[in-house]
Amino acid sequence: MTEKDKFIEKAKENIEKLKQLKTEIHGTDFLRTWDHTKNDLEAVVYVAQALENMIKANISCQVFKGGLAISNFRDQSTRTRFSYSSAANLVGLANSEIDESKSQVAHGETVRETANMISFFAEFYGIRDDIFLGEGHKFQKEVSDAVADGFKQGVLNSKPPIINLQCDEDHPTQSLSDLIHIAQYFGGLENLKGKKIAMTWAFSPSYGKPLSVPQAIIALMTRFGMDVRLAHPEGYDLIPEIVDLAKKNAEENGGKFTQFNNMEDAFKDADIVYPKSWAPFVVMQERTKLLKQGNAVADQLKQLEKKCIEKNKEFIECDEEKMKLTKDGKALYMHCLPADITGVSCEHGEVSAQVFDKYRIDTYKEAGHKMYVISAMMLLTKFKDVPELLTQLIKENTPRKKAD
Amino acid sequence: MTEKDKFIEKAKENIEKLKQLKTEIHGTDFLRTWDHTKNDLEAVVYVAQALENMIKANISCQVFKGGLAISNFRDQSTRTRFSYSSAANLVGLANSEIDESKSQVAHGETVRETANMISFFAEFYGIRDDIFLGEGHKFQKEVSDAVADGFKQGVLNSKPPIINLQCDEDHPTQSLSDLIHIAQYFGGLENLKGKKIAMTWAFSPSYGKPLSVPQAIIALMTRFGMDVRLAHPEGYDLIPEIVDLAKKNAEENGGKFTQFNNMEDAFKDADIVYPKSWAPFVVMQERTKLLKQGNAVADQLKQLEKKCIEKNKEFIECDEEKMKLTKDGKALYMHCLPADITGVSCEHGEVSAQVFDKYRIDTYKEAGHKMYVISAMMLLTKFKDVPELLTQLIKENTPRKKAD
Amino acid sequence: MTEKDKFIEKAKENIEKLKQLKTEIHGTDFLRTWDHTKNDLEAVVYVAQALENMIKANISCQVFKGGLAISNFRDQSTRTRFSYSSAANLVGLANSEIDESKSQVAHGETVRETANMISFFAEFYGIRDDIFLGEGHKFQKEVSDAVADGFKQGVLNSKPPIINLQCDEDHPTQSLSDLIHIAQYFGGLENLKGKKIAMTWAFSPSYGKPLSVPQAIIALMTRFGMDVRLAHPEGYDLIPEIVDLAKKNAEENGGKFTQFNNMEDAFKDADIVYPKSWAPFVVMQERTKLLKQGNAVADQLKQLEKKCIEKNKEFIECDEEKMKLTKDGKALYMHCLPADITGVSCEHGEVSAQVFDKYRIDTYKEAGHKMYVISAMMLLTKFKDVPELLTQLIKENTPRKKAD
């Protein structure tokens, strides 16, 4: 059996699992994992894995000949930006990014109008909008409504599904990549039940990191029956509704959700740890108010950040001592990257260099699933019968790269 | 008959009409509508409509496998930028935009040299240059001459046709989209004869809007025998040569061209109204002089704009009262977007919220033709026998999106 | 014989020559010409020429269906940027550029991490990093090591070859384009032996031009047995190790390498002249130190540049008088463009308007090879049997542009 055949076999297994699922994802957006059924989320996982295996088997997955995948990054991005443009290219689309500074958006044009104006040839519309609490998800909904109306009114040939590339509430392309990572680590989604995952706040010299990653993790992992342990110092709360959601998810899926106020307790006997910094909730609220007022209050913003850093003298870091508390002292360390590494990228950071270096390659692999997760969201929201579509691609077996 | 078959039928009708036309567009640039015969303009309309129907029939129109469509936006753009990159993608090219700030153009490199340096793999060269009176068209001609010389001298494999994405004189991708919009509204190009279209100045809080849209409209619509009514307050003249051209076009094509100094008179009994702001001609001339001097005269520029706004206290707006003056009170309202909407995007604008909202979807559809107009310009300037090319694409029937 | 057939014949001749060469380039990066055997360099030339002929024969050369060619331009670029995106498109890839200002690179993320994060779907990784002496090549090596490790560790499906789009030491895509240019001028690589090429410093009003072009020329042309004549005023030395390399190359390949301190002596009896400005070596060292300190020392940087310009009152320019010194008064003038042309782009420059204008078209053609050189580097570093690959493409004969 050749290498190629092995990957094709694996892809076929992924497709078989996919066939078992009754999904409701076709025709929807992908905004938050909690907008979707568990079957839909599993479908994303299996399609992503199938695509990864098909690409490794050198099978072209370009299902489009012409069409755009548009994107709007309202915040900096490297990983997600390249994952999105890779995913677009993988399915046969050109990535076209709207730069609001170069467009008339900056001139007060309405969201509704712009959304339609750039979507005439768009198959997908990816958005990152994660800076302001209470804004990002709202904006994505607004764009979704705008293009849905455009399609209904005959302006657009189709409604491009919106893909959330991180908002103030959720970061689904990240958390689903994380899910694939741990599913592979533990030998399958079915083995995650009862596994302890510690999502814990860690110190960072930068203020204003979004809450979306920890929120995404606690909301998603509880649905797979995991024992989710959230820890953070006082003042670093997440959005209360999402914490409640995590509790509910745990109850409904035979999982567990517990909160701690320090990293050590959360780490005890953990199978997985995810130490990561995020901004204080109150600061984020205050910051959102200030940011909306623009440059005029730049000084106040700086003072706010300074006050926070002063107050937060305790450098909570994931180091080897703390890792010893985890299951057999060797929990899987995870991070969405880039991590603030003590002594490497900053004086005091989220993780010690020793711990990070041990798991560096793992975190890189974790990140590598994202382009396939996005491709999977694209296929599942757009095509009715994805198992059939993938089967057809395997049958056609068009080489992505000409034979060597 | 399936949906697909219906669109194929429509495309074939467009191609039949195209076949009747003797065109001279192959091998030319598309800089201004008045550089082309009426047949050429009709050909753009029919090819654009054929392509729109073929895309709706899920037929791939990628006639290139490799090659670039380059673009140079010397002014902000959203709609036209995405229309151009969509058109490039539709015909199978990659869009590659030159950013003059990131290139050595900023270092005084000559237009001639840059034009050739970026065109080695370019099939088309789109340019927006609409800020300075007397500059935009000149620059496009310069680029055209440069690549024509490059081709003649054996530097380039072919001469990329230049496509005007708005200059100081004309905005042909806009006005031809507008033409398709009204042709569809009135049931065909042949029904436009005698229809009254009021191109009228309206107030806007922003100064410095180009004159190219009103100029494009009066120069183009007069060629289709329409009754074109231009209205603006004193001082808001268009380029005199283009006004003369509109008169001549009207005479030669059995149309009419009349000038008014207020919106009301122009609106009387109009079938179509196009109320839109533009800068005072004298201001544009003055502004061009100042802009050329750069930051040193920023203060003078601001004072000039302030003076204009003060002088222009009269807020001329298209509201429901004025719409009542039009034919049966229900003329088709048009705008190239984004419109300055009173109470929505500004305090006082070009149009009232009530009027705009009634026609909002129409203006969106109007904008939707642009990508097909650009694609049509691409095919017609590049390929000798476009009817045959389109017929071949329909025969091949390669799905743009894999079957669901 | 049709035009198409003629180009196919030529391409086949290029492929025949290629078949004679035993190469070691597959699986490597292309960082500096001196990292490669002479056979490898000749292979780049023949593949580039074959591709150019195939494109002229309207044969699609897209060997990929999906995949990215990523690029990182840490300095301005027009020619090389478009050459790289053209090359990517030519072989079937999408070009995706990392903009460090829009990414978290700016936040201290390590080179190693970013290199992997953007390479999950990358087939090639082009880098320009030419500003700081001692930095550019080092950075490219670091990226190469990072992705090599990523591949070894299972993070990446393949290791994207790094393509040097100009570093502080070499500019191989330029010098190999130059080599093709002179090979065509003199009827083949085999005719270059003994030809005199004068690489000479010329005055420019701008300070800080990299040393990479003159270094690239003296290191490459000496390998083809040319009589290389380097001339520059005191203080304008190149990196000493590369000058030594040029000497060694000349000895080993039956060539000659001589240094002069004025343009006139170097021009005497030259077949080719390449007058071009570069920064004083000591200034570049000093400048590198200052640039690393950022804005704080902006004043010192300006003073340094001012001092240099003052000191350098002698305007050394390539004019018609000096051209008379060359072989029969008609050596081939070369430049990597853009040239500083006296009276055109500046008051005093590298070359007089008379001389430049005579060779303008030649310099344009010289630049036109670059996209094919980059495509050739792509194919040769990635595919084992390139002669077979090209032969297969010719056999398939897929039209790049649909028949007219």
Side-chain angles (χ1 to χ4, degrees):
Chain A
M1 201 179 209
T2 63
E3 275 299 294
K4 182 180 172 102
D5 288 338
K6 272 182 214 159
F7 287 118
I8 291 179
E9 274 320 298
K10 282 186 193 175
K12 284 182 176 169
E13 284 166 29
N14 304 135
I15 296 169
E16 274 315 305
K17 283 187 181 160
L18 178 66
K19 279 186 188 164
Q20 312 307 316
L21 301 169
K22 208 174 166 75
T23 61
E24 299 168 26
I25 188 170
H26 176 245
T28 68
D29 296 311
F30 208 109
L31 300 188
R32 302 173 305 188
T33 57
W34 50 91
D35 299 323
H36 293 277
T37 67
K38 202 176 155 191
N39 275 359
D40 287 355
L41 304 178
E42 291 190 11
V44 172
V45 169
Y46 294 133
V47 174
Q49 290 181 325
L51 290 170
E52 190 160 353
N53 285 315
M54 287 160 71
I55 290 298
K56 283 179 178 162
N58 196 32
I59 294 173
S60 168
C61 300
Q62 298 196 327
V63 293
F64 293 97
K65 277 189 196 296
L68 304 182
I70 57 181
S71 52
N72 184 352
F73 284 88
R74 303 183 122 196
D75 193 12
Q76 290 185 325
S77 173
T78 307
R79 260 152 290 277
T80 306
R81 190 189 294 270
F82 272 80
S83 293
Y84 187 78
S85 76
S86 296
N89 178 270
L90 191 147
V91 301
L93 300 170
N95 179 213
S96 201
E97 203 170 311
I98 181 166
D99 181 345
E100 294 189 350
S101 70
K102 277 189 195 166
S103 77
Q104 305 209 33
V105 173
H107 289 194
E109 185 179 77
T110 64
V111 168
R112 182 165 64 175
E113 190 170 306
T114 305
N116 276 282
M117 290 304 109
I118 65 176
S119 295
F120 294 117
F121 209 38
E123 294 292 337
F124 304 100
Y125 196 137
I127 304 175
R128 162 163 294 191
D129 188 345
D130 60 356
I131 305 182
F132 305 154
L133 265 191
E135 295 291 321
H137 175 65
K138 214 173 104 192
F139 175 74
Q140 297 186 358
K141 276 294 289 175
E142 233 179 308
V143 171
S144 176
D145 292 346
V147 290
D149 188 57
F151 172 54
K152 200 181 130 200
Q153 306 266 12
V155 172
L156 304 179
N157 291 335
S158 69
K159 185 214 164 291
I162 312 300
I163 295 178
N164 177 6
L165 303 175
Q166 188 165 9
C167 71
D168 55 325
E169 299 189 8
D170 198 8
H171 192 352
T173 65
Q174 180 63 47
S175 63
L176 283 159
S177 300
D178 294 341
L179 182 66
I180 291 176
H181 186 58
I182 57 179
Q184 291 188 347
Y185 190 82
F186 290 107
L189 282 178
E190 54 281 10
N191 296 337
L192 299 185
K193 213 169 176 83
K195 291 284 183 301
K196 283 187 171 61
I197 178 169
M199 179 76 236
T200 67
W201 187 90
F203 175 80
S204 156
S206 95
Y207 268 75
K209 293 202 177 176
L211 316 183
S212 46
V213 169
Q215 289 168 173
I217 293 297
I218 64 166
L220 178 63
M221 301 310 174
T222 45
R223 294 181 81 178
F224 287 84
M226 296 185 77
D227 180 351
V228 177
R229 304 156 76 87
L230 174 68
H232 57 77
E234 205 182 326
Y236 288 82
D237 309 78
L238 302 179
I239 296 179
E241 289 79 4
I242 299 176
V243 174
D244 289 345
L245 182 72
K247 285 177 197 160
K248 207 187 98 222
N249 286 346
E251 274 168 35
E252 289 178 6
N253 294 281
K256 227 172 136 183
F257 178 72
T258 326
Q259 286 185 270
F260 302 86
N261 58 21
N262 65 78
M263 200 186 269
E264 287 83 350
D265 289 348
F267 267 37
K268 252 169 226 154
D269 213 29
D271 298 283
I272 304 162
V273 299
Y274 206 135
K276 194 202 168 307
S277 194
W278 61 86
F281 186 61
V282 186
V283 172
M284 281 303 259
Q285 287 185 311
E286 183 70 15
R287 198 168 165 269
T288 297
K289 262 187 247 161
L290 289 174
L291 281 169
K292 280 182 181 172
Q293 296 172 57
N295 282 324
V297 294
D299 281 355
Q300 288 177 51
L301 196 64
K302 269 195 191 135
Q303 278 178 358
L304 176 73
E305 292 186 354
K306 205 179 148 200
K307 216 176 70 186
C308 287
I309 295 176
E310 271 166 14
K311 192 188 154 196
N312 188 71
K313 280 288 181 216
E314 206 189 342
F315 301 124
I316 301 178
E317 180 204 76
C318 171
D319 58 18
E320 295 207 299
E321 275 311 296
K322 295 203 192 70
M323 285 302 284
K324 281 186 190 149
L325 302 168
T326 68
K327 183 134 184 225
D328 305 328
K330 46 183 189 183
L332 177 67
Y333 164 87
M334 291 176 80
H335 200 284
C336 54
L337 303 181
D340 291 318
I341 308 163
T342 301
V344 175
S345 48
C346 55
E347 203 185 341
H348 292 280
E350 300 166 299
V351 61
S352 76
Q354 293 91 329
V355 171
F356 186 78
D357 212 56
K358 206 165 151 188
Y359 294 92
R360 191 173 57 82
I361 292 300
D362 284 300
T363 62
Y364 287 10
K365 288 182 182 169
E366 182 185 349
H369 303 299
K370 199 181 275 180
M371 62 171 276
Y372 299 106
V373 165
I374 298 173
S375 310
M377 289 174 175
M378 288 176 166
L379 296 190
L380 285 162
T381 53
K382 200 78 177 184
F383 292 88
K384 253 186 222 145
D385 190 349
V386 178
E388 174 54 29
L389 183 70
L390 297 176
T391 305
Q392 187 188 336
L393 287 170
I394 293 175
K395 213 174 286 167
E396 290 175 7
N397 193 13
T398 308
R400 187 182 70 83
K401 177 190 159 194
K402 272 199 186 285
D404 215 3
Chain B
M1 201 180 209
T2 64
E3 274 299 295
K4 183 182 171 100
D5 288 338
K6 271 182 217 160
F7 287 118
I8 291 178
E9 274 319 297
K10 283 187 193 175
K12 284 182 177 168
E13 284 166 29
N14 304 134
I15 296 169
E16 274 314 306
K17 283 187 182 160
L18 179 66
K19 279 186 187 163
Q20 311 308 318
L21 301 169
K22 207 172 166 77
T23 61
E24 299 169 26
I25 188 170
H26 176 246
T28 69
D29 296 310
F30 208 108
L31 299 189
R32 302 174 304 189
T33 57
W34 52 90
D35 300 323
H36 293 277
T37 66
K38 201 175 154 192
N39 274 359
D40 288 354
L41 304 178
E42 291 190 12
V44 171
V45 169
Y46 295 133
V47 174
Q49 290 181 325
L51 290 170
E52 191 160 354
N53 284 315
M54 287 161 71
I55 289 298
K56 283 179 177 161
N58 196 32
I59 294 174
S60 167
C61 300
Q62 298 195 328
V63 293
F64 293 97
K65 278 187 194 298
L68 304 182
I70 57 182
S71 52
N72 185 351
F73 284 89
R74 302 182 125 196
D75 193 12
Q76 290 185 325
S77 174
T78 307
R79 259 153 291 275
T80 306
R81 191 188 293 273
F82 272 80
S83 293
Y84 188 78
S85 76
S86 296
N89 178 270
L90 190 146
V91 301
L93 300 170
N95 180 213
S96 201
E97 203 171 310
I98 181 166
D99 181 345
E100 294 189 350
S101 69
K102 278 188 193 167
S103 77
Q104 304 208 33
V105 174
H107 288 194
E109 184 179 77
T110 64
V111 168
R112 180 165 65 177
E113 190 170 306
T114 305
N116 276 281
M117 290 304 108
I118 66 177
S119 295
F120 294 117
F121 209 37
E123 294 292 338
F124 303 99
Y125 196 137
I127 305 174
R128 163 165 292 192
D129 188 345
D130 59 357
I131 305 183
F132 305 155
L133 264 192
E135 294 291 321
H137 175 66
K138 214 172 105 190
F139 176 74
Q140 297 186 358
K141 275 294 290 174
E142 234 178 308
V143 171
S144 176
D145 291 346
V147 291
D149 188 57
F151 172 54
K152 198 180 131 199
Q153 306 266 12
V155 171
L156 304 179
N157 291 335
S158 68
K159 185 214 165 292
I162 312 301
I163 294 177
N164 176 7
L165 303 174
Q166 189 166 9
C167 70
D168 55 326
E169 299 190 7
D170 198 9
H171 192 352
T173 65
Q174 180 63 47
S175 62
L176 283 160
S177 301
D178 294 341
L179 182 66
I180 291 177
H181 186 57
I182 56 178
Q184 291 188 347
Y185 190 81
F186 289 107
L189 282 178
E190 55 281 10
N191 297 338
L192 299 186
K193 212 168 176 83
K195 291 284 184 301
K196 283 188 172 59
I197 178 169
M199 178 76 235
T200 67
W201 187 89
F203 176 80
S204 156
S206 96
Y207 267 76
K209 293 203 179 176
L211 316 184
S212 46
V213 169
Q215 289 169 172
I217 293 298
I218 63 166
L220 178 64
M221 301 312 173
T222 45
R223 294 181 81 177
F224 287 84
M226 296 184 78
D227 179 352
V228 177
R229 304 157 76 88
L230 174 68
H232 56 76
E234 204 182 326
Y236 287 83
D237 308 79
L238 302 179
I239 296 179
E241 289 79 4
I242 299 177
V243 174
D244 289 343
L245 183 72
K247 286 177 199 161
K248 206 185 99 225
N249 286 345
E251 274 168 37
E252 291 179 3
N253 294 281
K256 227 172 137 184
F257 177 73
T258 325
Q259 286 185 270
F260 301 86
N261 57 20
N262 65 77
M263 200 186 269
E264 286 83 351
D265 288 347
F267 267 36
K268 252 169 228 155
D269 212 29
D271 298 282
I272 305 163
V273 298
Y274 205 136
K276 194 203 167 306
S277 194
W278 62 85
F281 186 61
V282 186
V283 171
M284 280 305 257
Q285 286 185 311
E286 184 70 16
R287 198 168 165 267
T288 296
K289 264 188 244 162
L290 290 174
L291 281 170
K292 280 183 182 171
Q293 296 173 56
N295 281 324
V297 294
D299 282 354
Q300 289 178 51
L301 196 63
K302 268 193 194 139
Q303 278 177 356
L304 177 72
E305 292 185 353
K306 207 179 145 198
K307 215 177 70 186
C308 288
I309 294 177
E310 272 167 14
K311 191 187 154 197
N312 188 70
K313 279 287 180 218
E314 204 189 345
F315 301 123
I316 300 178
E317 181 205 77
C318 170
D319 58 18
E320 295 207 299
E321 274 312 296
K322 294 204 192 70
M323 285 302 284
K324 280 185 192 151
L325 301 168
T326 68
K327 183 136 182 222
D328 305 329
K330 47 186 189 183
L332 176 67
Y333 165 89
M334 291 176 79
H335 200 284
C336 54
L337 302 181
D340 291 317
I341 307 163
T342 302
V344 176
S345 49
C346 56
E347 204 185 340
H348 291 281
E350 299 166 300
V351 61
S352 77
Q354 292 90 329
V355 171
F356 186 77
D357 212 55
K358 205 164 152 189
Y359 294 92
R360 193 173 57 82
I361 292 300
D362 284 301
T363 62
Y364 287 10
K365 287 182 183 170
E366 181 185 349
H369 302 301
K370 200 182 272 180
M371 62 171 276
Y372 298 107
V373 165
I374 298 173
S375 310
M377 289 174 176
M378 288 175 166
L379 296 190
L380 285 162
T381 53
K382 201 75 176 187
F383 292 88
K384 253 185 225 146
D385 191 348
V386 177
E388 173 54 30
L389 183 70
L390 297 176
T391 304
Q392 188 189 335
L393 287 170
I394 292 174
K395 214 174 285 167
E396 288 175 8
N397 193 12
T398 308
R400 187 184 70 85
K401 177 189 160 196
K402 270 198 186 287
D404 215 1
Chain C
M1 201 179 209
T2 63
E3 275 298 295
K4 183 182 171 100
D5 288 339
K6 273 182 215 159
F7 286 118
I8 291 179
E9 273 320 294
K10 282 186 193 175
K12 285 182 176 169
E13 284 166 29
N14 303 135
I15 297 169
E16 274 315 303
K17 282 187 182 159
L18 178 65
K19 278 186 186 163
Q20 311 308 316
L21 301 169
K22 207 174 167 77
T23 61
E24 298 170 27
I25 189 171
H26 176 246
T28 69
D29 296 311
F30 208 109
L31 300 188
R32 301 174 304 189
T33 57
W34 51 90
D35 299 323
H36 293 276
T37 67
K38 202 176 154 191
N39 275 359
D40 288 354
L41 304 179
E42 291 189 11
V44 171
V45 169
Y46 295 133
V47 174
Q49 290 181 325
L51 291 170
E52 191 161 352
N53 285 315
M54 287 160 72
I55 289 299
K56 282 179 179 163
N58 196 32
I59 295 173
S60 167
C61 300
Q62 298 196 327
V63 293
F64 293 97
K65 276 187 195 298
L68 304 182
I70 57 181
S71 53
N72 185 350
F73 284 89
R74 303 183 122 196
D75 193 11
Q76 290 184 326
S77 174
T78 307
R79 261 152 289 276
T80 307
R81 190 188 295 272
F82 272 80
S83 294
Y84 187 78
S85 76
S86 296
N89 178 270
L90 190 146
V91 301
L93 301 170
N95 180 214
S96 201
E97 202 170 310
I98 181 166
D99 180 345
E100 294 189 350
S101 70
K102 278 188 192 166
S103 78
Q104 305 208 32
V105 174
H107 289 194
E109 186 179 76
T110 63
V111 168
R112 182 166 62 177
E113 190 170 304
T114 305
N116 276 281
M117 291 304 108
I118 65 177
S119 296
F120 294 117
F121 209 39
E123 294 293 337
F124 303 100
Y125 196 137
I127 305 174
R128 162 164 292 192
D129 188 346
D130 59 357
I131 305 183
F132 304 155
L133 264 192
E135 295 291 321
H137 175 65
K138 215 173 104 190
F139 176 74
Q140 297 186 357
K141 275 295 289 175
E142 235 178 307
V143 170
S144 175
D145 291 346
V147 290
D149 188 57
F151 172 53
K152 200 180 130 199
Q153 306 267 11
V155 171
L156 304 179
N157 292 336
S158 69
K159 185 213 164 292
I162 313 301
I163 294 177
N164 176 7
L165 303 174
Q166 188 166 10
C167 71
D168 55 326
E169 300 189 7
D170 199 9
H171 192 352
T173 65
Q174 180 63 47
S175 64
L176 283 159
S177 300
D178 294 341
L179 182 66
I180 291 176
H181 185 58
I182 56 178
Q184 292 188 347
Y185 190 81
F186 291 107
L189 282 178
E190 54 282 8
N191 296 337
L192 300 184
K193 212 167 176 84
K195 291 284 184 300
K196 282 187 172 60
I197 178 169
M199 179 76 236
T200 68
W201 187 89
F203 175 81
S204 157
S206 96
Y207 267 77
K209 293 203 177 175
L211 316 184
S212 45
V213 169
Q215 289 168 173
I217 293 296
I218 64 166
L220 178 64
M221 301 311 174
T222 45
R223 294 181 81 177
F224 288 83
M226 295 185 78
D227 179 351
V228 177
R229 303 156 77 88
L230 174 68
H232 57 76
E234 204 181 327
Y236 287 83
D237 309 80
L238 302 178
I239 296 179
E241 289 78 3
I242 299 176
V243 174
D244 289 345
L245 182 72
K247 286 176 197 162
K248 206 186 99 226
N249 286 346
E251 275 169 35
E252 290 178 6
N253 295 281
K256 227 171 138 184
F257 178 73
T258 326
Q259 287 185 270
F260 302 86
N261 58 21
N262 65 78
M263 199 186 269
E264 286 84 351
D265 289 347
F267 267 36
K268 253 171 227 153
D269 213 30
D271 298 283
I272 304 163
V273 298
Y274 206 135
K276 193 203 168 303
S277 193
W278 62 85
F281 186 61
V282 187
V283 172
M284 281 303 258
Q285 287 184 310
E286 184 69 16
R287 197 168 165 268
T288 296
K289 263 188 244 161
L290 290 173
L291 282 169
K292 280 182 181 171
Q293 296 172 58
N295 281 325
V297 294
D299 282 355
Q300 289 177 52
L301 196 63
K302 268 193 193 140
Q303 278 178 357
L304 177 71
E305 293 186 353
K306 205 179 147 199
K307 214 177 73 186
C308 287
I309 294 176
E310 272 166 14
K311 191 188 154 196
N312 188 73
K313 280 287 180 217
E314 206 189 342
F315 301 125
I316 300 178
E317 180 204 77
C318 171
D319 57 19
E320 296 207 298
E321 274 312 297
K322 294 202 192 72
M323 285 302 282
K324 282 186 190 150
L325 302 168
T326 68
K327 184 136 182 225
D328 305 328
K330 46 185 190 185
L332 176 67
Y333 165 88
M334 291 177 79
H335 200 285
C336 53
L337 301 182
D340 291 317
I341 307 163
T342 300
V344 176
S345 49
C346 55
E347 203 184 341
H348 292 280
E350 299 165 301
V351 61
S352 75
Q354 292 90 331
V355 171
F356 186 77
D357 211 57
K358 205 163 152 189
Y359 294 92
R360 193 173 56 81
I361 292 300
D362 284 301
T363 62
Y364 287 11
K365 288 182 183 169
E366 181 186 349
H369 302 301
K370 199 182 273 179
M371 62 170 276
Y372 299 105
V373 165
I374 298 173
S375 309
M377 288 174 175
M378 288 175 167
L379 296 190
L380 285 162
T381 54
K382 200 76 175 189
F383 292 88
K384 253 185 223 144
D385 191 348
V386 177
E388 174 54 30
L389 183 69
L390 297 176
T391 304
Q392 189 189 332
L393 287 171
I394 292 174
K395 212 174 288 168
E396 289 175 9
N397 192 12
T398 308
R400 187 184 70 83
K401 176 189 160 196
K402 272 199 186 286
D404 217 0

